[in-house]
Amino acid sequence: AQSVSQHNHHVILSEAASLELGCNYSYGGTVNLFWYVQYPGQHLQLLLKYFSGDPLVKGIKGFEAEFIKSKFSFNLRKPSVQWSDTAEYFCAVNGDNDMRFGAGTRLTVKP
Amino acid sequence: DGGITQSPKYLFRKEGQNVTLSCEQNLNHDAMYWYRQDPGQGLRLIYYSQIVNDFQKGDIAEGYSVSREKKESFPLTVTSAQKNPTAFYLCASARTGSTGELFFGEGSRLTVL
């Protein structure tokens, strides 16, 4: 079965700092890759997704992610974080309609 | 409005009792999923179903059961065999043959006393 690893459990940044959250997966076939965000007290919402084509995908709120096939990675980035980005971020991989999630990374942005 | 409805939102049960969580969708999605969300562990896949009358175990299926008799419905039963059933349960659906993006319900919080 496929698995997803997120390297950081909790990241604390100051406003305007750059963000990179790691995500690696293990799966032998073609995958679709996702990043979801869960703001405090709210439900999961989709940030961005990759299916094919340009490995650099842009999502909402200034987030982007790069798919590096050789490294089985799909890291999330944002050049300058805001206090409102405080949330939990989940990487997810869908290989054969069996979507699996990483353990999540909690991001705290200090004003 | 199209969406996924989970019920009940909150549920309290005594140890040893089975409990069934409802999940209904009117998005005409083929695939449906059940996840369990625990702090620090993300969403863990319990069961998923790609078509009616068929479902597969996820990573933590022990102590749970499901059925998929209708396309719209995918109920989850938490049995007395589940050793640590207190958790937040999320149901989701997706169109198969597409990008696989999930649409989530609002969740059900089960507390076993």
Side-chain angles (χ1 to χ4, degrees), chain A residues 28-87:
Chain A
T30 302
V31 294
N32 295 329
L33 300 160
F34 305 82
W35 276 97
Y36 283 83
V37 61
Q38 188 171 34
Y39 296 101
Q42 295 187 28
H43 309 300
L44 282 154
Q45 59 180 276
L46 183 68
L47 262 184
L48 48 76
K49 54 191 175 184
Y50 171 80
F51 317 129
S52 63
D54 188 346
L56 184 63
V57 292
K58 296 192 183 298
I60 61 172
K61 305 187 181 187
F63 286 91
E64 63 179 32
E66 185 176 13
F67 170 50
I68 303 180
K69 190 174 181 180
S70 60
K71 295 185 178 179
F72 297 90
S73 71
F74 190 56
N75 292 356
L76 181 71
R77 300 195 291 246
K78 185 170 184 179
S80 175
V81 295
Q82 300 172 317
W83 175 79
S84 58
D85 293 324
T86 294

Side-chain angles (χ1 to χ4, degrees), chain B residues 37-86:
Chain B
Q37 186 175 16
D38 297 284
Q41 298 193 62
L43 278 70
R44 291 183 290 166
L45 183 61
I46 305 173
Y47 269 98
Y48 63 104
S49 167
Q50 297 185 35
I51 56 171
V52 174
N53 291 323
D54 189 37
F55 48 82
Q56 287 78 41
K57 292 182 180 180
D59 299 321
I60 56 164
E62 186 175 348
Y64 299 97
S65 66
V66 293
S67 63
R68 188 83 188 278
E69 297 176 2
K70 298 187 298 182
K71 188 176 184 178
E72 305 79 25
S73 178
F74 192 42
L76 173 75
T77 296
V78 185
T79 75
S80 56
Q82 167 49 232
K83 294 178 182 176
N84 186 20
T86 294

Side-chain angles (χ1 to χ4, degrees), chain B residues 8-49:
Chain B
K9 200 169 182 178
Y10 299 96
L11 186 60
F12 296 86
R13 279 294 181 267
K14 292 182 179 178
E15 262 191 43
Q17 289 182 329
N18 291 358
V19 60
T20 297
L21 308 179
S22 169
C23 178
E24 303 277 331
Q25 55 98 359
N26 60 4
L27 299 167
N28 200 31
H29 285 171
D30 293 305
M32 296 188 74
Y33 304 79
W34 274 105
Y35 294 91
R36 171 181 171 142
Q37 186 175 16
D38 297 284
Q41 298 193 62
L43 278 70
R44 291 183 290 166
L45 183 61
I46 305 173
Y47 269 98
Y48 63 104
S49 167

